[in-house]
């Protein structure tokens, strides 16, 4: 089992640092899946038992100038590692203005992901800062629990408004209730609603548009005005929103009634899927 990779482009390095920072805000520990073409950050808490799950995917060729890996075997050419997300994010934050970054799988009394950062010094000579991040290699028999989530058919899918706006609305609502009702229809309407014994507060977003897949929902005879709704833990949605540091290229919300809120976000060439279970 071997892995080594290098990022030499400053824009790619900054983008990769932003991705790791986002992952650290979404998951305390995560699984890193390394395959010949992709790198994935995975959180696989069981939605059925109330945990959120995450699948973040990036194509290695969009980031790395060098990328070599050998998986556990020829037929299972993948590597699965578990690490503390913050450790990786903290290491990469020291790579701002770096000349290059190298990552490799090492064994220093314990398995590590070693991050080496080549920094320019004032005298234009370079110095290397090295971080050894402890990891746990995940055995083959546990891989089945770490596969890309199967996305259930949604009742309604809708484009999200500016996420910073949603975050400020949800932050204020959190002071009143721990539960949030997310409602949407095929006419581009989205409502965020909280209800308590004393008050009911609703924020309406209009004309957001529905992705092309939503027209299939309409063709199944769903009334475009009919709202689909899901009740979720407001803190879990806030955690997702806090992780979105930059404006995404695309952000879609899919409601699978009484089951799950599926958030699908594209940051340039990095896709993030985030699943928040419905409250019973």
């Amino acid at each position: 089992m071997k892995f080594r990779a290098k990022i030499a482009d400053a824009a790619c390095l900054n983008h990769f640092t932003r991705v790791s920072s986002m992952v650290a805000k979404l998951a305390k520990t995560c699984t890193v899946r390394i395959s010949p073409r992709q790198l994935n950050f995975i959180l696989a808490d069981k939605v059925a038992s109330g945990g959120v799950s995450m699948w973040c995917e990036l194509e290695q060729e969009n980031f790395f100038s060098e990328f070599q890996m050998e998986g556990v075997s020829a037929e299972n050419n993948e590597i699965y590692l578990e690490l503390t997300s913050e450790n990786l994010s903290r290491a990469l934050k020291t790579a701002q203005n770096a000349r290059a970054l190298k990552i490799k799988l090492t064994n220093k009394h314990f398995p590590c992901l070693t991050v080496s950062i080549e920094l320019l010094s004032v005298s234009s000579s370079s110095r290397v800062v090295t971080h050894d991040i402890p990891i746990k290699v995940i055995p083959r028999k546990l891989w089945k629990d770490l596969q890309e989530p199967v996305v259930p058919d949604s009742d309604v899918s809708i484009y999200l408004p500016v996420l910073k706006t949603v975050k400020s609305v949800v932050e204020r609502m959190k002071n009143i209730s721990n539960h949030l009702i997310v409602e949407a229809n095929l006419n581009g309407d989205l409502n965020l609603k909280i209800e308590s014994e004393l008050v009911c507060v609703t924020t309406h977003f209009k004309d957001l548009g529905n992705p092309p897949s939503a027209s299939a929902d309409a063709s199944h005879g769903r009334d475009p005005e009919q709202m689909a709704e899901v009740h979720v833990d407001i803190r879990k949605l806030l955690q997702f929103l806090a992780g979105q540091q930059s404006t995404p290229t695309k952000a879609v919300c899919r409601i699978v009634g009484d089951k799950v809120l599926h958030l699908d976000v594209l940051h340039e060439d990095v896709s993030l899927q985030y699943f928040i279970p419905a409250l019973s």
Side-chain angles (χ1 to χ4, degrees):
M1 209 168 53
K2 294 177 184 173
F3 169 62
R4 61 169 58 232
K6 179 179 180 180
I7 301 178
D9 179 80
C12 292
L13 183 49
N14 288 336
H15 193 16
F16 191 63
T17 302
R18 283 196 300 273
V19 171
S20 78
S21 175
M22 175 180 73
V23 169
K25 285 182 165 62
L26 297 177
K28 193 172 181 182
T29 61
C30 77
T31 299
V32 180
R33 171 184 174 261
I34 303 162
S35 64
R37 293 179 56 190
Q38 290 177 339
L39 207 62
N40 296 97
F41 295 98
I42 304 165
L43 174 64
D45 285 354
K46 289 281 181 283
V47 168
S49 54
V52 299
S53 64
M54 170 187 81
W55 181 270
C56 180
E57 181 172 296
L58 49 95
E59 299 288 329
Q60 62 88 355
E61 64 181 15
N62 293 337
F63 287 83
F64 299 96
S65 54
E66 296 172 21
F67 192 93
Q68 297 170 310
M69 61 88 55
E70 288 177 22
V72 294
S73 65
E75 62 273 17
N76 294 303
N77 193 20
E78 297 175 337
I79 302 169
Y80 285 76
L81 319 167
E82 187 179 274
L83 52 75
T84 301
S85 310
E86 184 60 35
N87 288 347
L88 178 61
S89 174
R90 207 179 289 135
L92 291 175
K93 278 176 184 164
T94 64
Q96 287 180 335
N97 305 319
R99 181 185 278 177
L101 172 131
K102 293 178 182 173
I103 307 175
K104 70 175 180 177
L105 209 49
T106 57
N107 199 337
K108 303 188 176 182
H109 306 300
F110 50 87
C112 285
L113 200 61
T114 296
V115 178
S116 300
I117 298 157
E118 191 180 334
L119 297 167
L120 282 172
S121 65
V122 182
S123 61
S124 77
S125 61
S126 62
R127 59 194 176 92
V128 176
V129 176
T130 301
H131 302 264
D132 292 321
I133 301 168
I135 58 163
K136 196 162 75 182
V137 177
I138 297 174
R140 173 78 186 86
K141 65 175 186 271
L142 299 179
W143 290 8
K144 64 181 185 301
D145 298 326
L146 297 164
Q147 300 309 301
E148 184 170 3
V150 176
V151 181
D153 290 337
S154 58
D155 296 320
V156 167
S157 47
I158 188 168
Y159 290 115
L160 283 166
V162 176
L163 295 184
K164 279 185 180 168
T165 306
V166 178
K167 181 170 174 260
S168 66
V169 168
V170 176
E171 274 176 339
R172 287 199 293 274
M173 288 178 159
K174 180 175 72 83
N175 298 326
I176 303 170
S177 174
N178 289 328
H179 297 175
L180 177 74
I181 301 164
V182 182
E183 294 181 328
N185 65 17
L186 295 172
N187 253 1
D189 301 325
L190 173 73
N191 299 333
L192 302 176
K193 189 160 73 175
I194 49 168
E195 295 172 343
S196 73
E197 290 176 7
L198 300 172
V199 68
C200 174
V201 179
T202 306
T203 300
H204 304 274
F205 297 93
K206 300 281 187 189
D207 303 319
L208 295 172
N210 303 88
S213 59
S215 59
D217 302 330
S219 67
H220 288 133
R222 187 179 183 89
D223 177 359
E225 292 287 341
Q226 184 190 348
M227 286 287 181
E229 67 171 47
V230 62
H231 296 233
V232 294
D233 184 328
I234 203 164
R235 292 162 301 183
K236 288 175 180 170
L237 179 59
L238 258 183
Q239 185 171 12
F240 164 79
L241 293 166
Q244 308 310 305
Q245 298 297 292
S246 55
T247 304
T249 317
K250 181 190 78 171
V252 174
C253 160
R254 295 188 176 91
I255 295 174
V256 184
D258 297 328
K259 289 200 179 104
V260 72
L261 180 67
H262 172 209
L263 300 155
D264 187 357
V265 178
L266 189 68
H267 286 278
E268 294 172 45
D269 41 20
V270 176
S271 84
L272 170 70
Q273 295 186 71
Y274 197 76
F275 300 83
I276 303 176
L279 294 168
S280 51

